[in-house]
Each structure stands twice: as structure tokens, then as C-alpha cells.
Amino acid sequence: QVQLQESGPGLVKPSQTLSLTCSVSGDSISSDSYYWSWIRQPAGKGLEWIGRAYSSGSTNYNSSLKSRVTISVDRSKNQFSLKLSSVTAADTAVYYCARDRGQWLGNYYYYYKDVWGKGTTVTVSS
Amino acid sequence: QSVLTQPPSASGTPGQRVTISCSGSSSNIGSNIVNWYQQFPGTAPKLLIFINNQRPSGVPDRFSGSRSGASASLAISGLQSEDEADYYCASWDDSLNGVVFGGGTKLTVL
């Protein structure tokens, strides 16, 4: 049974870099057909996709966050990470990591988030 | 402002059938699949429907999804009190080159 667990500081100062790690158990992060994603949710608001990374290192980012985001995969530790620079209070949210499973359909792979971590709350405050 | 548009709320009585809409455009739902997620307060979202109308193992067949043109719908039949939750649609957007979510619909069972 695949499990994902987020970890990292719960409090980050404005202008600093938010760093979170998602540890994967029960499966190899190097497996084919998976992307590894980060999603966040401000209190009382909806879900916002941050970005995703493939085990090879290729990435896709939310265009509104792209200049500040880095998602990377560490195959040796079976984990992936999120770095968000120059944070402000607007970055305060619950941060989730998730596995994107791919399914071949016609001529394309289509992805859906089939496993989620429990989430970790990050507050940006001085 | 979310790229995908959902009604902020929906409601129904036990046993009723409720539908939640998700409206997009040609760059997302119109050309890509739709997934639906269910979220209870204080917990992580859970995959409910994938690739428009597929149910993961363990999801009751009371839940069904459909997609037509640039819109999608989630239907819940035989509504139960435990279905009270937030529901989110999601799709890939070719113009933004990323995943887009709907703003979420809070379902209340009266």
C-alpha cells in the first residue's frame, strides 16, 4: 500500500524559502507512469496545483508560481521535494503531495492523483 | 478565480440524486479528461472519479461522472448523509500546460 508523508517547517519567515519533502513508501519513486505532485490549499479555500516532477527530472509548474518553484526527485531516498522562494503571507496553506498515476488512452497518457499525503500546514509569518 | 467553474454549493435530501457541474473551455475539459476529488473537513482530498467516468476500487456506484464538450458533471444518486463533503473537478489545461482545479462545491445533505 503506497503512502506519502509530507515533512518540513511549519513556520517560514516572509521572503525566505519554503522547503518541504514528501517521503514515498510502498512503491518506488522511479516507477514508470507516475508523476509526483504538490498541491496547496489556503484555509477555507480551494485546491491549487503547484507543479509536478517525473522521476527523470522533467517538471511542469503552475505558471503563476513558476518563477519561485522548484520540484525535484531524489531517487536514492525515494522522496521528492518542493522549494518555494520569496514567500509571503499569501503562501500560507496546507501543502499536499500526491502521486499522479498515468493511464494510456488512445494516443496519450492521462493522469489522475490516486494517492495523497495527509498534508502539512505551513504558515508564513515573522 | 478558478479556471474551471463549479457552483459553490449544492444540496439534497437523503435518497435524492444530485449533480455538480464543472465548466471549462476548449483548452482543458474540451480536450482532456476530467477527474473528481472528494474532501472531508480537515482531511486530504480523495480520488472519486478518474478519466471522466471511472471509479476507483471502493467508491460506491452511486457516484458517476460524465463529460460533454467543455463541461463535466458529477452525479450522486441515493444521497447519503456521509456524502456531505467538498467536491473538486480537475483537468489538464493545454494553454497553461498544467493542472487546473475547479473552485470546489460544498455538498450539504439536508
Side-chain angles (χ1 to χ4, degrees):
Chain A
Q1 179 183 352
V2 181
Q3 291 186 315
L4 279 60
Q5 178 67 57
E6 305 89 348
S7 60
L11 181 64
V12 182
K13 287 182 167 50
S15 80
Q16 292 191 341
T17 295
L18 178 161
S19 295
L20 295 175
T21 297
C22 182
S23 298
V24 180
S25 60
D27 196 4
S28 170
I29 205 166
S30 301
S31 298
D32 287 342
S33 304
Y34 297 144
Y35 272 93
W36 304 93
S37 290
W38 288 97
I39 304 97
R40 70 181 183 179
Q41 184 173 37
K45 296 189 177 180
L47 301 169
E48 179 180 33
W49 179 75
I50 299 172
R52 68 180 187 179
Y54 197 67
S55 60
S56 64
S58 68
T59 55
N60 299 99
Y61 298 134
N62 184 323
S63 56
S64 67
L65 300 171
K66 192 172 185 176
S67 63
R68 301 194 290 132
V69 173
T70 302
I71 297 175
S72 58
V73 171
D74 187 334
R75 289 186 279 182
S76 66
K77 294 182 179 179
N78 216 42
Q79 56 188 212
F80 62 107
S81 63
L82 166 69
K83 291 188 186 303
L84 181 66
S85 64
S86 305
V87 296
T88 69
D91 295 310
T92 294
V94 176
Y95 285 75
Y96 297 102
C97 59
R99 184 181 76 173
D100 289 22
R101 174 186 283 271
Q103 186 164 319
W104 185 253
L105 200 67
N107 297 320
Y108 300 101
Y109 259 109
Y110 291 106
Y111 291 89
Y112 49 92
K113 296 171 186 10
D114 67 333
V115 181
W116 294 67
K118 292 183 177 179
T120 187
T121 300
V122 178
T123 301
V124 178
S125 174
S126 56
Chain B
Q1 198 80 348
S2 302
V3 174
L4 304 182
T5 301
Q6 296 180 238
S9 64
S11 63
T13 57
Q16 262 191 331
R17 184 177 187 272
V18 170
T19 61
I20 296 172
S21 62
C22 177
S23 178
S25 68
S26 58
S27 64
N28 42 66
I29 295 177
S31 53
N32 287 289
I33 56 95
V34 177
N35 303 313
W36 290 89
Y37 301 91
Q38 177 188 54
Q39 185 180 34
F40 296 106
T43 68
K46 167 194 156 188
L47 180 66
L48 189 66
I49 297 287
F50 65 99
I51 309 181
N52 301 326
N53 54 20
Q54 306 299 304
R55 279 178 288 104
S57 174
V59 172
D61 59 6
R62 303 187 293 104
F63 293 90
S64 61
S66 63
R67 175 191 145 220
S68 178
S71 293
S73 291
L74 172 70
I76 309 172
S77 60
L79 196 63
Q80 298 182 5
S81 58
E82 55 259 41
D83 298 333
E84 193 161 283
D86 294 326
Y87 294 85
Y88 294 89
C89 58
S91 185
W92 182 265
D93 191 292
D94 293 330
S95 297
L96 297 174
N97 200 34
V99 174
V100 289
F101 282 98
T105 298
K106 183 177 183 62
L107 175 64
T108 301
V109 180
L110 302 170

